[in-house]
Amino acid sequence: MALALLRHMRCLCTLPRTVAALQSSIDKRSYAERVRGSLERVVSAFRAVVGDDGVSLGAAVREQHGKDESVHSCQPPDVVVWPRSVEEVSALAKICHHHRLPIIPFGTGTGLEGGVGATKGGVCFSLRKMDSVLDLHQEDFDVTVEPGVTRKALNAYLRDTGLWFPVDPGADASLCGMAATSASGTNAVRYGTMRENVLNLEVVLADGTIIHTAGKGRRSRKTAAGYNLTNLFVGSEGTLGVLTKATLRLYGVPEALVSAVCSFPSVQAAVDSTVHILQAGIPIARIEFLDDVMIDACNRYSALSYPVSPTLFLEFHGTERGLEEQVSITEEITQGNGGSDFSWARDTETRARLWKARHDAWYAALALRPGCRAYATDVCVPISHLPQIIVETKKDLTENHLTGPIAGHVGDGNFHCLMVLDPHDPEEVKRVHHFTERLARRALALDGTCTGEHGVGLGKRALLREELGPLAMEVMQGLKAALDPKNLMNPGKVL
């Protein structure tokens, strides 16, 4: 039970010893050995919980659940299970806990940091069959969903209510998966990330215990009651428990939307405009940045004719009267910073045409080198440092002969290099790897973070230690040891 798990907590001075002892016990007998010895015994137990059609040992199914959209290689689990309720998740977790089998939660597989790879083998909990919208409270602007509900499915469900869920990472990710990775996206500058929009979580811990991070059924807009357990699990990437329900904030659908595009003579001018727009108190919904390389790629791919220069894409949400003022002030600000070709539109078709370059950026980048793969880096710095890091990053790309057009959520300092590389060229893969590490350390040197929204997963564990420092890492390891003393929850990730 959860109370028993808490006895594993020790004072901070004993944390390194606790973690070392935990790792030592794990190393004595590999996960793979335990899995091989336990698998035959547990498959029948799994089938007793979820039925024959809820368990698969097939190679193709396992490979499908051993990879995401990242460049990390496929690492399939030993078995995949499909629970249909929190009770089944709990029962399956108890079996895994008894047999010391790793548990890897799986949503839609749209992650970008290798978070679903079964690095130690084990059992993949595919949550797609838990896909119900459970409780909608229109007057309170909140909803509770199961882990198989995706953001597009939720917004389709909400279509006739006048409400919507605005966090948009691009992919149609599952909402609990988005909570697990603390996802955000283009709307974060106004509506925040998943951290600001999750009110409560139902979580199944490694031993099968079911907890509610804000108390069962609680959905208040704010609370000062105790530790913030909800945000402990938001961003935990499946390493502390399986998220089986999420209670989320909703927002009223805006009366009107206006989109705009503006070109700038330099990165500095574009960022200065962003800062001035935010300082003016304009409640802008989206403010996206594309560098000259990205704009050129988009022009080629989508037959557009934008000036090949740093460009901002903006979107405003509000009332008809309010938007007129917002757009007018924004246009004045951009012109004052050297902006040109300011175009804006209200109707859906024209707005879509204005945003086409941003929406097609991924495919436009891939089209620069047909037959290659793309990998999106992810760092975030204080907005004032954006010009410096983007200029230094572009220089780094040129010097190392790498293809990496830049797109970013400039309103909160988060940007991505869309690295296009040949995965069969070991030398290029190595150069990209070294570049991404330099980029992350460049962000850390500018008071930023190694990941603004993709998460740590497999590839950024060393960078996380550099970012947080050894003492904070020891606290995180202590929490992990308390909640998951056998290190069964998505092992090999984050820590």
Side-chain angles (χ1 to χ4, degrees):
M1 297 299 290
L3 290 176
L5 289 177
L6 294 178
R7 298 194 186 102
H8 290 275
M9 291 298 284
R10 299 289 188 268
C11 66
L12 292 183
C13 63
T14 67
L15 287 177
R17 196 163 46 224
T18 301
V19 176
L22 173 65
Q23 189 62 50
S24 176
S25 68
I26 291 168
D27 290 342
K28 288 179 181 178
R29 187 180 178 201
S30 73
Y31 281 114
E33 291 173 339
R34 283 203 299 278
V35 168
R36 282 194 294 270
S38 302
L39 198 56
E40 292 182 4
R41 296 193 298 273
V42 300
V43 166
S44 60
F46 290 158
R47 287 179 172 147
V49 174
V50 296
D52 289 346
D53 61 348
V55 181
S56 179
L57 297 169
V61 172
R62 291 189 295 109
E63 287 182 8
Q64 176 189 351
H65 289 81
K67 61 183 178 181
D68 56 15
E69 296 297 327
S70 72
V71 295
H72 295 285
S73 60
C74 178
Q75 295 178 304
D78 297 285
V79 59
V80 180
V81 295
W82 287 273
R84 293 158 295 192
S85 67
V86 64
E87 291 78 16
E88 290 186 357
V89 174
S90 175
L92 293 168
K94 288 176 181 178
I95 296 169
C96 292
H97 190 261
H98 177 74
H99 292 278
R100 299 177 67 90
L101 296 174
I103 298 169
I104 306 97
F106 187 95
T108 57
T110 55
L112 293 168
E113 292 295 342
V116 298
T119 60
K120 305 289 185 180
V123 184
C124 172
F125 282 38
S126 180
L127 303 167
R128 72 182 187 194
K129 291 185 178 181
M130 298 174 65
D131 60 355
S132 297
V133 178
L134 299 174
D135 294 297
L136 171 62
H137 301 94
Q138 290 181 237
E139 66 280 9
D140 295 324
F141 296 83
D142 66 65
V143 67
T144 299
V145 299
E146 289 188 320
V149 179
T150 67
R151 66 174 186 87
K152 288 185 179 180
L154 176 59
N155 281 324
Y157 181 92
L158 296 171
R159 184 173 293 131
D160 297 325
T161 67
L163 302 173
W164 73 311
F165 184 71
V167 181
D168 176 6
D172 188 22
S174 65
L175 291 158
C176 282
M178 288 166 59
T181 56
S182 192
S184 54
T186 60
N187 284 319
V189 65
R190 176 164 182 176
Y191 299 100
T193 71
M194 289 301 288
R195 288 198 185 278
E196 291 78 43
N197 288 288
V198 178
L199 302 175
N200 199 352
L201 290 168
E202 178 184 80
V203 183
V204 176
L205 301 179
D207 67 346
T209 300
I210 303 171
I211 68 167
H212 298 84
T213 58
K216 189 171 183 177
R218 308 297 175 194
R219 52 189 181 84
S220 57
R221 302 289 284 187
K222 64 179 181 180
T223 177
Y227 299 152
N228 191 341
L229 294 181
T230 301
N231 269 348
L232 174 63
F233 285 91
V234 174
S236 62
E237 301 185 40
T239 63
L240 299 179
V242 182
L243 308 188
T244 51
K245 288 187 184 72
T247 300
L248 307 169
R249 294 176 183 263
L250 299 177
Y251 297 79
V253 174
E255 175 187 320
L257 285 75
V258 170
S259 297
V261 178
C262 187
S263 302
F264 293 87
S266 67
V267 175
Q268 183 72 58
V271 174
D272 285 346
S273 290
T274 302
V275 173
H276 295 159
I277 290 167
L278 297 175
Q279 287 176 337
I282 297 172
I284 195 159
R286 307 179 198 237
I287 182 162
E288 297 288 291
F289 170 84
L290 271 63
D291 76 343
D292 55 333
V293 178
M294 189 75 261
I295 283 289
D296 186 44
C298 290
N299 282 344
R300 295 166 184 262
Y301 179 78
S302 301
L304 301 171
S305 56
Y306 287 116
V308 180
S309 61
T311 301
L312 290 183
F313 291 78
L314 310 99
E315 187 168 278
F316 307 84
H317 296 175
T319 64
E320 294 282 357
R321 180 177 298 179
L323 290 185
E324 289 181 8
E325 182 181 16
Q326 291 177 34
V327 173
S328 176
I329 295 173
T330 299
E331 185 171 8
E332 289 180 12
I333 290 172
T334 58
Q335 289 176 348
N337 286 290
S340 59
D341 301 294
F342 188 93
S343 303
W344 64 276
R346 289 180 187 271
D347 66 281
T348 302
E349 184 178 348
T350 308
R351 286 193 298 105
R353 190 162 60 248
L354 286 178
W355 274 89
K356 185 170 179 58
R358 180 62 182 94
H359 290 320
D360 289 345
W362 179 265
Y363 305 104
L366 277 172
L368 291 172
R369 296 180 63 188
C372 289
R373 289 193 61 188
Y375 164 66
T377 66
D378 167 45
V379 297
C380 187
V381 297
I383 297 174
S384 62
H385 292 319
L386 266 178
Q388 178 182 346
I389 193 170
I390 290 177
V391 168
E392 292 176 356
T393 298
K394 289 173 70 66
K395 181 181 178 182
D396 192 342
L397 289 165
T398 301
E399 290 177 348
N400 288 280
H401 308 289
L402 295 172
T403 304
I406 293 174
H409 317 311
V410 69
D412 50 25
N414 186 196
F415 78 93
H416 314 286
C417 291
L418 306 185
M419 306 302 300
V420 186
L421 70 155
D422 180 356
H424 304 296
D425 182 345
E427 176 58 30
E428 184 177 17
V429 171
K430 182 178 179 181
R431 283 187 287 123
V432 169
H433 174 72
H434 290 322
F435 165 80
T436 57
E437 289 200 340
R438 287 194 301 274
L439 173 60
R441 292 192 170 96
R442 197 175 292 130
L444 296 182
L446 293 172
D447 305 325
T449 176
C450 66
T451 174
E453 57 187 10
H454 293 175
V456 175
L458 283 171
K460 293 188 175 181
R461 289 175 295 171
L463 291 164
L464 180 67
R465 175 171 288 275
E466 293 179 29
E467 180 171 331
L468 299 185
L471 296 180
M473 290 298 297
E474 286 171 9
V475 173
M476 289 177 62
Q477 289 168 329
L479 291 167
K480 168 73 169 173
L483 294 171
D484 181 18
K486 295 182 180 181
N487 193 26
L488 301 180
M489 291 304 312
N490 209 7
K493 318 295 168 47
V494 184
L495 300 178

